[in-house]
């Protein structure tokens, strides 16, 4: 059995060119804790990386359910479960890396986790405000956020590509003519065009805002909003902030649909 230092070098590869940098929370906290959980799993159990991913999904769903409760302390407990989910998100990769068990099934389970949990984080916070204030507006805000965050554009895009592939024998359906619109914040999105003036500023703002809401930034933001509520015993500021988030999600959704339709017509 290798030393703990060697074990760490195996499961936690350092950042290299072409590989996404670790999130700051992962660097400061999550990876420092996940390595010990991974070591215990590898040393004393036969738990697979896919099983850890399922645990991550269960922990995250429990967290989302608790976050909806009107009681702030129960909601905060839900926040802790969401952080546990992110911790296990690191553990499953480390287990897979050590056991060389990376697989399509593992990737599939991870995508299920992200597609289920991420769109619901801010929505469940809105439902928490609804149950704690009885404002029907907060319930509607939660439904709007779910609608804007369920990644309907990606699903429609993949269904369109799948349909084009199955119809590849027909000259009416040519998959090579399908043009993918990159997400804001991606390298391809930044280099595909060179907008000028106000358009350039608007694009930069949109990219910056989009990067703010990537996982686990959304968990960190919800953590902050719940902590503010616990300290101030008031939800008016938090509801206003969540409303601004909801407006951004809506505008971003509309822009994505417009850009996609425009590029493929």
């Amino acid at each position: 059995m290798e030393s703990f230092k060697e074990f760490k070098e195996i499961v936690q590869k350092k950042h290299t060119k072409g590989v996404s940098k670790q999130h700051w929370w992962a660097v400061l906290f999550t990876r420092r804790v996940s390595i010990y959980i991974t070591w215990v799993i590898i040393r004393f159990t036969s738990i697979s990386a896919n099983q850890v991913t399922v645990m991550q999904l269960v922990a995250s769903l429990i967290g989302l359910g608790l976050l909806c409760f009107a009681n702030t302390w129960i909601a905060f407990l839900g926040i802790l479960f969401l952080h546990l989910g992110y911790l296990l998100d690191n553990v499953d990769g480390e287990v897979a890396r050590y056991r060389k068990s990376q697989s399509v099934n593992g990737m599939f389970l991870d995508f299920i986790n992200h597609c289920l949990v991420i769109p619901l984080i801010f929505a469940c916070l809105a439902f928490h405000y609804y149950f704690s204030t009885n404002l029907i507006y907060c319930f509607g805000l939660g439904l709007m956020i779910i609608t804007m965050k369920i990644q309907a554009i990606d699903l429609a895009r993949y269904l369109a590509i799948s349909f084009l592939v199955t119809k590849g024998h027909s000259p009416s359906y040519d998959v090579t003519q399908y043009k993918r619109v990159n997400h804001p914040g991606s390298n391809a999105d930044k280099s595909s065009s060179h907008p000028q003036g106000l358009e350039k500023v608007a694009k930069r703002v949109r990219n910056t805002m989009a990067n703010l809401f990537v996982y686990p930034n959304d968990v960190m933001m919800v953590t902050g909003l719940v902590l503010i509520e616990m300290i101030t015993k008031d939800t008016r500021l938090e509801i206003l902030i969540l409303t601004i988030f909801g407006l951004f999600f809506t505008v971003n959704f509309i822009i994505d649909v417009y850009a996609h339709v425009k590029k493929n017509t």
Side-chain angles (χ1 to χ4, degrees), residues 182-195 200 203-204 206-208 210-211:
N182 296 291
H183 287 297
S186 68
N187 290 330
D189 183 63
K190 293 174 182 177
S191 60
S192 59
S193 60
H194 301 281
K200 183 176 182 180
K203 187 174 183 179
R204 183 175 299 174
R206 184 176 176 235
N207 289 338
T208 302
N211 288 330

Side-chain angles (χ1 to χ4, degrees), residues 21-248:
K21 291 184 178 180
Q22 285 286 331
H23 189 270
W24 64 268
W25 182 241
V27 175
L28 291 179
F29 174 76
T30 309
R31 281 164 58 92
R32 297 174 186 268
V33 176
S34 66
I35 184 65
Y36 295 101
I37 299 176
T38 303
W39 184 82
V40 170
I41 289 175
I42 295 296
R43 192 74 182 269
F44 301 106
T45 77
S46 58
I47 296 174
S48 68
N50 288 351
Q51 289 172 325
V52 176
T53 304
V54 173
M55 294 179 196
Q56 174 197 355
L57 178 59
V58 172
S60 297
L61 291 178
I62 291 174
L64 291 173
L66 293 175
L67 180 58
C68 292
F69 277 74
N71 185 284
T72 311
W73 287 102
I74 296 178
F76 185 72
L77 180 61
I79 294 292
L80 296 181
F81 269 95
L82 289 175
H83 281 282
L84 175 60
Y86 180 62
L87 178 63
L88 293 174
D89 192 23
N90 283 261
V91 172
D92 66 358
E94 293 172 356
V95 172
R97 197 170 295 119
Y98 184 85
R99 291 181 171 159
K100 295 181 172 63
S101 59
Q102 297 96 327
S103 66
V104 174
N105 285 337
M107 185 188 305
F108 178 73
L109 288 172
D110 204 42
F111 282 150
I112 288 179
N113 192 358
H114 285 224
C115 289
L116 275 176
V117 174
I118 294 176
L120 293 174
I121 293 175
F122 286 111
C124 287
L125 181 62
F127 295 145
H128 161 71
Y129 294 144
Y130 166 70
F131 289 120
S132 60
T133 64
N134 289 321
L135 287 174
I136 192 67
Y137 167 79
C138 294
F139 186 79
L141 180 61
L143 293 180
M144 183 191 76
I145 290 175
I146 291 176
T147 304
M148 297 299 107
K149 293 279 288 179
I150 57 174
Q151 298 176 313
I153 297 173
D154 281 341
L155 178 59
R157 179 184 294 124
Y158 298 145
L159 287 174
I161 293 174
S162 177
F163 179 81
L164 289 172
V165 170
T166 59
K167 295 287 186 177
H169 62 278
S170 171
S172 300
Y173 302 99
D174 185 2
V175 70
T176 62
Q177 299 301 315
Y178 189 88
K179 300 176 183 177
R180 187 182 189 281
V181 179
N182 296 291
H183 287 297
S186 68
N187 290 330
D189 183 63
K190 293 174 182 177
S191 60
S192 59
S193 60
H194 301 281
Q196 300 295 323
L198 184 61
E199 183 184 355
K200 183 176 182 180
V201 174
K203 187 174 183 179
R204 183 175 299 174
V205 170
R206 184 176 176 235
N207 289 338
T208 302
M209 290 293 292
N211 288 330
L212 283 177
F213 293 103
V214 297
Y215 186 69
N217 282 348
D218 42 14
V219 177
M220 305 301 295
M221 290 183 194
V222 171
T223 302
L225 291 173
V226 172
L227 286 174
I228 292 173
E229 180 185 354
M230 295 176 72
I231 295 171
T232 63
K233 308 297 182 183
D234 190 22
T235 59
R236 287 175 293 182
L237 174 62
E238 296 90 300
I239 293 174
L240 175 61
I241 293 174
L242 192 60
T243 299
I244 295 173
F245 290 171
L247 290 174
F248 170 75

